[in-house]
Amino acid sequence: MSSNRSEFAQVPLSALTLGSVLSAPIFEPGSERTKLLGKDVQIDSGVLQKLASRGVAYVSVSKRDLAAMTAGQPQGNRKEVDDHEYRPVELQTEHSQEVESLIAETPSGELPTTSLDPRWNNPPTTKYDPAAVNEKLRERESHISYVESVFGELITHGGTEDGDLSVVCRRSIVSVLEDKDLFMRLGLNPFDSEYPSRHSLHVSSVAISIGVMLGLEDQSLHDLGTGCLVHDIGMLKLDSTFYRAKRKLRPKELEYLAQHPILTLDALANSGVELSRIARIVAYQVHERCDGSGYPRAMRDEHIHSLSKIAMVADMYVGLVSNRPHRRALMPYHAITKILNAIPEGKFDAKAVRGLLHAMSLFPIGSFVETHDGRVARVVRSTGETYMRPVIEFWNPKHQIYEPNLVNLAQEPEIQIKRAIPAPSISPSIGRRTRVA
């Protein structure tokens, strides 16, 4: 642990989730030698009681395990964040010029006006199966490890012999069609570790879910997903001091960071990573905005590919609900409303945002709400076009337990959502829930 102290976090004992299987040992905080639990141990009530009887109140746990334990949980409770203002980037490289030529030659296309992939016929309205949740968690973490290794080889060695990221996208498409809500639940509230691989996988997951809701065919879903997976590789070629700064960045610093889509193209050139030309365009345009306020080239709507319009919405949402060194994450509902409010300003394509709403609801999966009668509930599933009426489960904040029955608000008109609220057990001292239900 001594050489990887930054990969561990100190959390209260109550943060350990029942049923979790540790991928790394748990230590006593501040001690490199006092191992409390070993790798591959499953957390159960007996384990927690034994630690508590020894007077253990806090533990040092790997951030990867913590990310799995907090999967699907909102990471912050802010209602507003400041926007950055970007200027077009002057840097030009051979590969950025090549992709800009592709953009000029490639029709931008239009997003479908009708939603829903026909394969997604009968969305489940049941509770999640714990075994399926654990299986998807393990698969997601293995995908993050794989993406991280590919990124590392690209930056360290300039290429990779195993760069088939389409495997990750194919599995993502299958997972969406199996249970979109479970897939979204694990992808909507990213933990702030393993940047940019974890962030990129979450963006890809949200984008693919939007694409499925819009009825995109498989090749477009692959192009969209792989473009999102690689879009932030260029950040690893920059000085991390800037994107890890615990303050709002100055204009010159923002201009420096805004070079990273160009550096992404340079990193991918002759890298061994197989990308279609559309996926390269998506990776390059993720940070553009339809009104010309994005970067690196301040492109406007007519020059932005339709898949990039989905990608920018997905990236914006994931960024807003993620903790950053200089600010805490937004509550999911306020992230959605911020994106909705940007549509009249011309920043986002309304069809892409509609796909986001249909995929996760106005009150995103995993977030908390208060109903008209004062009860607290967690959103567990979306209901497509009736996005203001998701499926919820009522929660007892006093006893930190969930009632077993789900309530589909689309079928229960007498129950109204009064407002979105922070996750009830968020601890102000650490900024995340102290108990996972």
Side-chain angles (χ1 to χ4, degrees):
M1 182 178 171
S2 58
S3 62
N4 298 298
R5 187 185 296 269
S6 64
E7 297 178 5
F8 285 73
Q10 179 177 315
V11 298
L13 183 63
S14 58
L16 302 185
T17 308
L18 295 175
S20 298
V21 178
L22 300 177
S23 67
I26 283 180
F27 296 88
E28 183 177 302
S31 172
E32 301 177 3
R33 298 181 178 178
T34 307
K35 183 166 68 174
L36 299 174
L37 295 174
K39 179 183 176 182
D40 297 325
V41 169
Q42 184 173 29
I43 304 298
D44 58 28
S45 57
V47 168
L48 295 179
Q49 290 170 4
K50 185 175 180 180
L51 290 175
S53 68
R54 293 168 53 187
V56 175
Y58 286 82
V59 294
S60 184
V61 60
S62 80
K63 289 184 178 179
R64 174 155 287 180
D65 283 334
L66 191 57
M69 292 176 189
T70 59
Q73 300 178 39
Q75 298 296 307
N77 57 12
R78 293 193 63 169
K79 296 182 178 181
E80 297 179 358
V81 294
D82 295 330
D83 292 322
H84 293 304
E85 294 184 6
Y86 293 94
R87 292 180 293 184
V89 176
E90 295 180 0
L91 177 66
Q92 284 275 13
T93 70
E94 172 190 350
H95 306 295
S96 67
Q97 291 174 334
E98 178 185 350
V99 170
E100 285 168 23
S101 295
L102 285 177
I103 292 170
E105 298 167 359
T106 305
S108 59
E110 289 286 335
L111 292 175
T113 55
T114 57
S115 61
L116 198 58
D117 188 306
R119 294 171 293 180
W120 197 71
N121 292 321
N122 297 303
T125 57
T126 57
K127 293 179 71 69
Y128 300 116
D129 174 40
V133 172
N134 286 331
E135 178 185 350
K136 292 303 179 185
L137 276 173
R138 286 192 295 269
E139 182 177 65
R140 187 193 64 173
E141 292 303 312
S142 70
H143 286 168
I144 290 170
S145 295
Y146 174 65
V147 172
E148 188 175 32
S149 69
V150 171
F151 286 8
E153 290 179 13
L154 289 181
I155 298 303
T156 304
H157 306 296
T160 177
E161 295 181 357
D162 183 24
D164 188 10
L165 295 174
S166 65
V167 173
V168 176
C169 291
R170 285 196 295 270
R171 283 301 308 158
S172 294
I173 294 169
V174 170
S175 294
V176 172
L177 295 174
E178 287 176 346
D179 190 337
K180 174 190 65 64
D181 295 328
L182 173 57
F183 183 73
M184 289 290 277
R185 175 192 172 194
L186 301 181
L188 288 182
N189 298 289
F191 189 73
D192 51 336
S193 66
E194 296 135 319
Y195 181 82
S197 55
R198 185 176 293 277
H199 168 80
S200 298
L201 184 66
H202 282 276
V203 172
S204 179
S205 299
V206 174
I208 288 174
S209 297
I210 295 172
V212 167
M213 298 307 291
L214 293 177
L216 297 184
E217 45 87 26
D218 278 1
Q219 185 58 55
S220 292
L221 292 174
H222 280 108
D223 292 340
L224 174 62
T226 51
C228 288
L229 270 181
V230 302
H231 81 279
D232 267 354
I233 291 177
M235 292 292 280
L236 296 174
K237 298 175 73 69
L238 297 172
D239 184 347
S240 63
T241 302
F242 292 98
Y243 60 78
R244 291 177 178 167
K246 296 182 179 181
R247 57 173 173 79
K248 188 172 182 179
L249 296 180
R250 303 181 183 95
K252 280 291 184 183
E253 295 168 330
L254 288 172
E255 187 175 345
Y256 172 72
L257 290 184
Q259 298 178 86
H260 81 264
I262 299 168
L263 301 180
T264 290
L265 297 180
D266 291 349
L268 290 169
N270 305 313
S271 64
V273 176
E274 296 184 8
L275 286 177
S276 69
R277 69 176 190 173
I278 301 300
R280 293 168 67 200
I281 291 173
V282 170
Y284 190 53
Q285 292 187 321
V286 166
H287 300 292
E288 297 289 355
R289 296 292 180 263
C290 295
D291 65 346
S293 62
Y295 66 88
R297 300 297 183 223
M299 295 181 183
R300 289 187 171 271
D301 179 84
E302 63 272 18
H303 301 298
I304 299 174
H305 195 277
S306 58
L307 296 185
S308 301
K309 294 174 183 178
I310 294 176
M312 68 173 68
V313 170
D315 181 69
M316 179 70 169
Y317 179 82
V318 172
L320 289 173
V321 298
S322 299
N323 290 323
R324 292 286 186 254
H326 66 285
R327 57 120 174 114
R328 301 300 296 177
L330 275 180
M331 286 171 53
Y333 169 79
H334 293 289
I336 283 280
T337 56
K338 185 174 180 64
I339 292 172
L340 285 170
N341 290 337
I343 294 176
E345 300 170 3
K347 292 186 182 297
F348 298 116
D349 185 290
K351 297 173 186 174
V353 177
R354 183 196 65 201
L356 180 73
L357 279 172
H358 289 183
M360 68 173 68
S361 94
L362 180 63
F363 305 94
I365 297 167
S367 61
F368 285 78
V369 296
E370 179 185 342
T371 56
H372 70 286
D373 52 4
R375 288 186 289 175
V376 173
R378 182 177 66 170
V379 179
V380 293
R381 291 191 179 277
S382 64
T383 53
E385 294 184 355
T386 55
Y387 53 80
M388 296 181 68
R389 312 283 297 166
V391 177
I392 63 173
E393 58 182 354
F394 286 105
W395 191 72
N396 187 328
K398 182 176 180 180
H399 300 293
Q400 297 193 346
I401 59 173
Y402 290 96
E403 295 181 3
N405 295 325
L406 302 187
V407 178
N408 186 343
L409 295 185
Q411 300 173 359
E412 302 287 344
E414 70 279 3
I415 301 176
Q416 302 293 322
I417 292 179
K418 179 180 178 181
R419 61 190 177 108
I421 60 173
S425 51
I426 281 183
S427 166
S429 61
I430 62 171
R432 58 178 60 90
R433 286 177 52 208
T434 58
R435 185 63 179 266
V436 181

